[in-house]
Amino acid sequence: MADATAAAGEDGAISAYPFVLSAGSRYLLVVAVLCAATALRFALFPANAGFTYITYAPGIALVALLAGIRPALSFTGIAALVGIVLFHPPHLGPGHLVDLIPMAQFFANGAAISFAIHFYQRWVVSQQRALRTSLHNLAHTQEQLRRAFDETPVGIAHTTPEGRWLRMNPRLLDMLGYDERELVGRHYVDFTHPDDLQETARRRTRLLDGDVDGYRVEKRYRRKDGRWLWVAVTLSIARNADGSPSYLVSTVEDIDERRDAEEKLRLSDARFQAFMDAVPAIAWLSDPDGRYLYVNQAWERETGRLRGDWLGHGTEARMPSGGALPATAAPDPRADADVLHSGHPSDAVESFGQADGAPRQWRVVRFPVPAQDSRRLLGGMAIEITREVRAQAALRDSEARTLAIMRSASDGIVSTDGEGRVSLFNPAAERMFGVSADAMLGQPLDRLLPAEARSRHPALMGGFAGSSVSQRAMGSGRVVGVHADGRRMELEASISQVTVEGSVILTAMLRDVTERTQAERRLVAYQLELAGLNRQLLAQEKETTRRLAQSLHDELGQTLAALRMQFDALRQRGLTAAAAATTADLGDPAAGLQRIDQLVTQANRQVREALTELRPPLLDELGLAAALENELRRQSEAGSGPELSLVVDPALRECRWPGDVEFAAFMVAREAIYNAVRHAGATTIEVILEGDAHALDVWVDDNGIGLPEAPLRARPGHLGLVGMRERAGSIGARLELGPGDGQGTRVHLSWPSRREGTRAR
């Protein structure tokens, strides 16, 4: 806690005490006041009256006011000790300790009084300091305002609301050439140019009426020597506390040199405009944002739009109808931006139309123009070269037409010199052989041929080059080429030769017919397979009819005959006799009924087996999952064979699809299982069923011998695969045949045939 001296100001000029005491004097004051308070206690109260506050409390306030908080707290503590020693001696015993409570209360009250006086003194000192600081700042501000008024580089004048000058700074006096005595009390009308009086009066009236807070105007003042001086006057109003005008503040800036420079610049611009308008080339100047700052008359003439339509706009310049100009009505603004960005001039040929939109060619020169604000402007000039460009274009078109045809041709075109080195390799040839033109140019053509043909190729090429034939087919019309990845390709080829400047150039026209050849072979094989399938279907129809008739005659017919005999016996001789006549044990009359039950069950099974051969009943009753599960069970119960399993999500067992989809999927799966057992020698077959109500995927995976290199449908005995494809196509499904994960074959049926999200296995 700061003591009394700390309460004084930093510079010692502000103090909370009537006079400043040293440290020793403060504590002598404590002793003196304590002695005086004790003496006063004995003088005013009897000895047995105990400790009395009234004689010591004023001493606390006195010490706190004169010496500070520390001496005041010291006085309070010593006074409490004196009270204990003199008025509550220790021999009174513990029972009298309660008499010490007033001492504690005295000390607490004394501390509170000391702190209260201390903080009050600090507050008084802070208020005095704030007042002194405010006065100092006010004086400093006044001095700054005075210096700003006198030393500012612009003229300042204070005038009455009526327009008479009250005071002015030295700069304004210097501008006008007057002494202050000559201007004070004069009216501003006496110095204003007659042409500027009306506008000045109008603006002052609006300012005094409160319509505006201030205004700026350029006008002329008359100097003492009679010369008119251009100045820019900014006028504002200073008001009294009640809001009424006190005086007007005029800031006067000398702009005479600027106005003179503007006039010279105007004359220079006029001369520049006249010169540029006489130039036959179009010319323009634009800013970094692409807005046109200047265009000459040739620009107007060639674009068909007035200069005002362009200035301040980019290529979106307005038309008289309000719409934008066509993008081809002016030089390309993107090239302007490139020149500004790089800082280097450019020389290019561009095409843009004139007023009627006719296409014309121009040589356009662009160059950066330094500006005073450190930015670059863009200058440009354009001269029409339509005739020259058209002549050059015709020549280039003539030279490039053949090359363009070769580059755009769908057939590969390869040219070589007399030594067999490649000189032309068009994009179609690049795609055909998988080799870039850069990699082939200058290389021997042999690298595109199979190894067995490379040795005789130079002799064949030399023989053709030495012949008088200009064009013929190569080989029998088809040759073999080698792709960059090593695969062989069948090519239709023809070769021609031409002599240019004494050198023979051989050119081969190549067309990749590998896929077409394979497709032709597949088509022939497929036609043979379809014919075989037709024969097989006819034979299968006869066999199915024969087997069904035989099953109905040999099995179901005999069963029904035996059942008929049992029924007739029961009807003629009664239940008991018939039962006894049809059993080996005459003592068991119920055996006849049991025999009838067995015959009925056997007939039902035989009927279901016959129907299963045609269409499984479970397919209609319980769906595809149950039918496939039953088929796998039947195959397993038929005897020793591969391990069969069905993988299906339990939630999918109750899912149903259209009847024709379920039947086709079942028949494809059954045929795939049959092929895996009969032809692939599989020991493990797994059928997987996936999908939802709108899609179906069936996989049949086996670990058999797998697929041969040639398509299965081209092998005898595998026409069932064609039937599988036909069944898939009949429901719009896709059938895929391929190798399994490790070995064997995978058959995949996907319905519908084109759907996203089918899980790859």
Side-chain angles (χ1 to χ4, degrees):
M1 183 64 66
D3 55 13
T5 58
E10 294 180 359
D11 57 3
I14 299 177
S15 176
Y17 313 116
F19 46 84
V20 180
L21 299 176
S22 64
S25 300
R26 295 191 197 116
Y27 289 100
L28 287 176
L29 177 64
V30 170
V31 174
V33 173
L34 181 62
C35 293
T38 303
L40 184 63
R41 157 61 181 79
F42 283 107
L44 297 179
F45 300 97
N48 60 355
F51 185 80
T52 57
Y53 292 102
I54 193 169
T55 58
Y56 290 95
I60 297 172
L62 179 63
V63 173
L65 288 172
L66 297 180
I69 187 168
R70 291 181 181 177
L73 293 175
S74 300
F75 176 83
T76 303
I78 295 172
L81 291 176
V82 169
I84 294 173
V85 172
L86 297 179
F87 306 109
H88 297 281
H91 65 270
L92 294 177
H96 296 278
L97 291 179
V98 70
D99 296 331
L100 298 179
I101 293 177
M103 301 295 101
Q105 294 176 343
F106 168 75
F107 183 80
N109 293 335
I113 294 172
S114 300
F115 276 102
I117 294 174
H118 170 72
F119 285 113
Y120 172 75
Q121 290 173 333
R122 288 173 64 91
W123 177 80
V124 170
V125 170
S126 66
Q127 294 298 312
Q128 291 177 343
R129 285 178 178 170
L131 178 60
R132 174 176 290 183
T133 300
S134 298
L135 294 174
H136 175 74
N137 292 339
L138 179 60
H140 181 68
T141 301
Q142 290 176 340
E143 176 63 19
Q144 286 183 326
L145 290 176
R146 185 194 64 77
R147 293 183 61 184
F149 184 81
D150 292 341
E151 300 176 9
T152 185
V154 297
I156 301 177
H158 294 171
T159 61
T160 64
E162 293 77 18
R164 297 191 178 276
W165 288 5
L166 297 174
R167 64 189 68 85
M168 58 288 301
N169 69 342
R171 173 57 181 157
L172 180 59
L173 295 174
D174 182 64
M175 279 193 289
L176 300 180
Y178 287 96
D179 293 332
E180 186 174 8
R181 297 187 305 275
E182 297 175 304
L183 294 180
V184 172
R186 299 282 298 273
H187 203 279
Y188 76 90
V189 174
D190 300 337
F191 305 93
T192 302
H193 194 281
D195 295 342
D196 302 329
L197 283 176
Q198 184 176 358
E199 180 65 15
T200 301
R202 185 183 66 82
R203 289 176 176 266
R204 286 180 63 91
T205 301
R206 294 192 63 198
L207 178 65
L208 293 173
D209 292 344
D211 296 338
V212 294
D213 296 330
Y215 68 87
R216 175 183 173 87
V217 66
E218 293 185 0
K219 64 179 184 177
R220 287 157 288 186
Y221 275 157
R222 186 179 59 200
R223 289 173 46 85
K224 186 176 182 179
D225 58 10
R227 185 171 64 87
W228 292 103
L229 178 70
W230 275 100
V231 294
V233 180
T234 303
L235 196 64
S236 60
I237 190 169
R239 298 184 181 276
N240 297 315
D242 59 357
S244 60
S246 176
Y247 60 89
L248 276 64
V249 180
S250 300
T251 302
V252 183
E253 181 182 357
D254 184 356
I255 61 171
D256 199 58
E257 293 183 0
R258 192 199 77 189
R259 295 286 296 210
D260 183 60
E262 289 176 351
E263 179 62 20
K264 293 179 180 179
L265 180 61
R266 186 188 65 79
L267 295 176
S268 176
D269 287 345
R271 288 192 293 268
F272 172 78
Q273 184 69 50
F275 170 75
M276 293 305 298
D277 287 344
V279 172
I282 66 173
W284 74 94
L285 184 70
S286 61
D287 64 12
D289 297 325
R291 294 186 294 266
Y292 292 103
L293 305 178
Y294 169 80
V295 294
N296 66 348
Q297 283 186 356
W299 179 287
E300 292 182 334
R301 183 174 61 253
E302 298 299 340
T303 61
R305 298 291 177 266
L306 296 177
R307 187 174 306 177
D309 292 337
W310 292 98
L311 297 182
H313 300 277
T315 53
E316 76 282 359
R318 65 185 185 277
M319 297 177 66
S321 60
L325 283 165
T328 58
D332 187 0
R334 293 172 297 182
D336 296 355
D338 293 339
V339 171
L340 285 175
H341 179 73
S342 65
H344 301 293
S346 70
D347 188 345
V349 175
E350 296 182 11
S351 175
F352 54 90
Q354 60 178 23
D356 58 2
R360 302 168 70 182
Q361 302 296 320
W362 302 80
R363 181 179 180 182
V364 183
V365 178
R366 294 178 175 84
F367 45 89
V369 179
Q372 294 181 352
D373 55 0
S374 73
R375 299 189 307 166
R376 287 197 190 109
L377 302 180
L378 189 285
M381 299 186 72
I383 300 176
E384 185 181 3
I385 56 172
T386 304
R387 292 181 180 179
E388 294 84 347
V389 170
R390 288 176 179 175
Q392 294 175 0
L395 179 60
R396 287 194 302 268
D397 290 345
S398 177
E399 295 175 347
R401 187 174 296 111
T402 302
L403 182 60
I405 292 174
M406 289 189 295
R407 290 186 177 277
S408 61
S410 59
D411 293 340
I413 302 176
V414 181
S415 295
T416 66
D417 57 17
E419 298 179 355
R421 298 189 177 276
V422 176
S423 59
L424 174 64
F425 203 76
N426 75 335
E430 291 180 323
R431 295 190 296 270
M432 184 181 300
F433 290 97
V435 182
S436 67
D438 294 337
M440 284 302 301
L441 294 179
Q443 299 298 317
L445 188 63
D446 295 355
R447 63 179 295 184
L448 303 179
L449 302 176
E452 65 272 14
R454 294 175 184 174
S455 59
R456 62 178 184 273
H457 178 257
L460 294 175
M461 296 292 289
F464 176 72
S467 69
S468 60
V469 179
S470 61
Q471 181 176 356
R472 68 171 175 82
M474 297 178 65
S476 60
R478 290 192 179 182
V479 296
V480 178
V482 179
H483 193 273
D485 59 9
R487 59 185 173 87
R488 299 166 70 93
M489 302 179 296
E490 292 195 31
L491 307 173
E492 285 185 349
S494 63
I495 187 170
S496 62
Q497 63 173 321
V498 64
T499 302
V500 178
E501 296 181 355
S503 299
V504 176
I505 298 178
L506 304 177
T507 302
M509 303 288 292
L510 305 173
R511 178 174 298 174
D512 185 358
V513 294
T514 304
E515 293 184 358
R516 188 178 74 187
T517 302
Q518 294 175 352
E520 291 172 351
R521 293 171 182 169
R522 288 195 298 267
L523 179 59
V524 172
Y526 196 66
Q527 289 173 344
L528 294 176
E529 290 173 353
L530 288 178
L533 177 61
N534 185 46
R535 292 192 299 270
Q536 183 179 5
L537 289 177
L538 293 176
Q540 185 176 0
E541 180 181 2
K542 294 179 181 179
E543 177 65 17
T544 301
T545 303
R546 185 191 63 79
R547 290 174 57 189
L548 181 59
Q550 182 179 356
S551 176
L552 293 177
H553 179 270
D554 296 345
E555 297 179 1
L556 182 59
Q558 294 180 11
T559 301
L560 292 178
L563 181 61
R564 180 66 180 180
M565 291 173 60
Q566 294 294 324
F567 178 75
D568 290 342
L570 287 176
R571 185 176 59 181
Q572 294 173 4
R573 291 181 290 177
L575 176 61
T576 303
T582 57
T583 65
D585 187 359
L586 298 177
D588 186 4
L593 293 178
Q594 185 177 3
R595 174 60 177 167
I596 293 175
D597 181 65
Q598 293 175 351
L599 292 173
V600 171
T601 301
Q602 181 180 356
N604 184 45
R605 178 177 58 80
Q606 293 170 346
V607 171
R608 295 185 67 88
E609 289 179 354
L611 293 176
T612 300
E613 290 294 327
L614 300 177
R615 181 182 179 94
L618 284 178
L619 193 62
D620 296 326
E621 297 172 3
L622 300 179
L624 179 60
L628 287 174
E629 189 172 33
N630 182 66
E631 178 65 20
L632 295 180
R633 187 185 307 112
R634 288 180 62 250
Q635 294 279 358
S636 299
E637 294 173 352
S640 60
E643 179 183 350
L644 304 173
S645 62
L646 176 66
V647 179
V648 58
D649 191 335
L652 203 61
R653 287 184 174 273
E654 303 298 329
C655 186
R656 298 302 302 268
W657 294 272
D660 57 342
V661 174
E662 291 186 337
F663 179 71
F666 176 83
M667 296 303 290
V668 168
R670 185 163 70 176
E671 184 67 25
I673 296 170
Y674 176 81
N675 289 337
V677 174
R678 294 291 301 273
H679 304 294
T683 59
T684 301
I685 301 175
E686 183 181 50
V687 181
I688 303 171
L689 189 64
E690 292 184 353
D692 53 35
H694 305 287
L696 174 63
D697 285 280
V698 179
W699 283 271
V700 180
D701 292 346
D702 66 70
N703 63 347
I705 62 175
L707 293 171
E709 293 183 0
L712 282 177
R713 59 173 174 268
R715 288 166 53 90
H718 287 273
L719 292 175
L721 298 180
V722 180
M724 293 163 62
R725 286 192 175 88
E726 294 299 325
R727 290 189 186 275
S730 67
I731 61 171
R734 183 175 66 249
L735 184 68
E736 297 175 346
L737 302 175
D741 293 335
Q743 61 179 0
T745 304
R746 166 171 293 163
V747 179
H748 176 206
L749 175 74
S750 177
W751 175 86
S753 62
R754 292 187 179 180
R755 64 186 186 91
E756 297 182 358
T758 300
R759 181 170 67 90
R761 301 191 61 84

